[in-house]
Amino acid sequence: MNFLRRRLSDSSFVANLPNGYMTDLQRPDSSTSSPASPAMERRHPQPLAASFSSPGSSLFSSFSSAMKQTSQAPSGLMEPPGPSTPVVQRPRILLVIDDAHTDWAKYFHGKKVNGEIEIRVEQAEFSELNLAAYVTGGCMVDMQVVRNGTKVVRSFKPDFILVRQHAYSMALGEDYRSLVIGLQYGGLPAVNSLYSVYNFCSKPWVFSQLIKIFHSLGPEKFPLVEQTFFPNHKPMGHCKAPRRLMLTPRKVQRHRRRTSLPVICRDTEIS
């Protein structure tokens, strides 16, 4: 304190002190344990705060900037991409179910879906197809055809079906309704729809739909030829309603020997 008093006695030293500094020095000696003066708070704490906070803040700012650069790397740091190459999409497979008399490939030659996707035609009959349908995997079709004397075996996943052949016939071994069910199971779109193809496998079923329209619109707007349906041949012998069968002249004599029912042959009733 004596040193300070000697220094403060110098008028040039005191003149350079900030305002209020002499007032703080005139307080009792207990002021040595008191907080530093405002002038000291203005001079010393700021460098200390800067010295202690600077490393942490600089590290955080560096880390933040690094993260920003990482997040902006695809758009900012990487070189701009060159011209994109066109993506070649696989051709769409059209399965045509028809006999070999019509070459459907020539009708779709050079055609493209939306002007971009090519169409590949696979043609076969129902008898030349086999398939396996899955819930998530679609439908895989196996085809065995003979082209120009050469047996061709292929497996593919069609994208669309064009049905140009009956799926059911009374002939032995020509019931392909199971294939229609498999195509429907695989969720394949088709023309006509697989629902209609399956329904038309039974003519009485189709006629029952016509009967609904007949009752809805009336006979004047929707005339319908009257028919009688029997589930099998047994009820036909016990039916009380008159029945007439359309037979050719060659079968008339055979029909007379087997039954006594009236027969219509070329618009002439034969009893």
Side-chain angles (χ1 to χ4, degrees):
M1 293 299 295
N2 294 330
F3 173 75
L4 292 176
R5 289 173 181 172
R6 287 196 300 269
R7 291 291 297 170
L8 293 175
S9 62
D10 188 358
S11 60
S12 62
F13 179 78
V14 175
N16 294 326
L17 293 176
N19 295 332
Y21 192 84
M22 293 296 298
T23 306
D24 294 336
L25 292 179
Q26 293 176 359
R27 292 179 180 178
D29 294 340
S30 59
S31 63
T32 56
S33 60
S34 62
S37 63
M40 296 299 292
E41 290 179 358
R42 287 194 300 269
R43 291 183 180 182
H44 300 286
Q46 292 178 357
L48 291 176
S51 62
F52 284 104
S53 62
S54 177
S57 61
S58 61
L59 178 62
F60 180 76
S61 60
S62 300
F63 183 77
S64 302
S65 60
M67 292 297 294
K68 291 180 180 179
Q69 292 176 1
T70 304
S71 60
Q72 296 176 357
S75 60
L77 297 181
M78 294 182 62
E79 296 181 357
S84 59
T85 58
V87 179
V88 180
Q89 299 185 8
R90 68 173 184 85
R92 297 296 186 264
I93 300 178
L94 170 64
L95 174 60
V96 180
I97 302 177
D98 196 4
D99 53 33
H101 291 89
T102 304
D103 186 11
W104 287 92
K106 68 179 183 180
Y107 294 103
F108 292 93
H109 179 70
K111 305 296 183 179
K112 293 184 179 181
V113 179
N114 297 329
E116 299 177 355
I117 307 174
E118 296 182 355
I119 301 175
R120 192 180 105 196
V121 178
E122 298 288 352
Q123 183 174 343
E125 300 183 31
F126 272 117
S127 59
E128 300 170 331
L129 297 177
N130 195 7
L131 60 84
Y134 309 93
V135 175
T136 58
C139 185
M140 179 66 68
V141 176
D142 298 328
M143 183 178 68
Q144 296 184 8
V145 297
V146 178
R147 295 289 184 265
N148 299 325
T150 304
K151 186 177 181 180
V152 180
V153 180
R154 279 199 292 268
S155 297
F156 54 88
K157 295 180 68 174
D159 298 289
F160 201 87
I161 310 294
L162 176 60
V163 182
R164 300 290 298 176
Q165 190 179 27
H166 292 293
Y168 177 76
S169 175
M170 295 296 292
L172 182 62
E174 294 188 4
D175 184 1
Y176 306 108
R177 288 177 290 183
S178 60
L179 293 176
V180 178
I181 294 174
L183 297 174
Q184 178 72 13
Y185 194 94
L188 292 174
V191 172
N192 291 329
S193 67
L194 297 175
Y195 180 81
S196 63
V197 172
Y198 188 83
N199 283 339
F200 270 84
C201 290
S202 176
K203 292 182 179 179
W205 181 268
V206 176
F207 197 82
S208 67
Q209 307 301 317
L210 298 179
I211 294 175
K212 291 182 178 179
I213 302 176
F214 172 80
H215 291 299
S216 176
L217 300 179
E220 296 181 357
K221 294 184 179 180
F222 194 81
L224 195 63
V225 178
E226 185 177 354
Q227 297 184 4
T228 303
F229 173 77
F230 298 98
N232 49 57
H233 68 282
K234 294 180 180 180
M236 297 179 65
H238 303 284
C239 183
K240 297 181 180 180
R243 300 184 304 277
R244 294 180 178 182
L245 302 178
M246 297 297 296
L247 299 178
T248 60
R250 296 178 182 179
K251 298 181 180 179
V252 172
Q253 298 299 329
R254 186 187 306 174
H255 177 75
R256 283 179 173 177
R257 289 194 299 266
R258 293 184 178 181
T259 180
S260 60
L261 297 176
V263 179
I264 293 180
C265 179
R266 291 186 179 180
D267 300 331
T268 301
E269 183 174 347
I270 303 176
S271 58

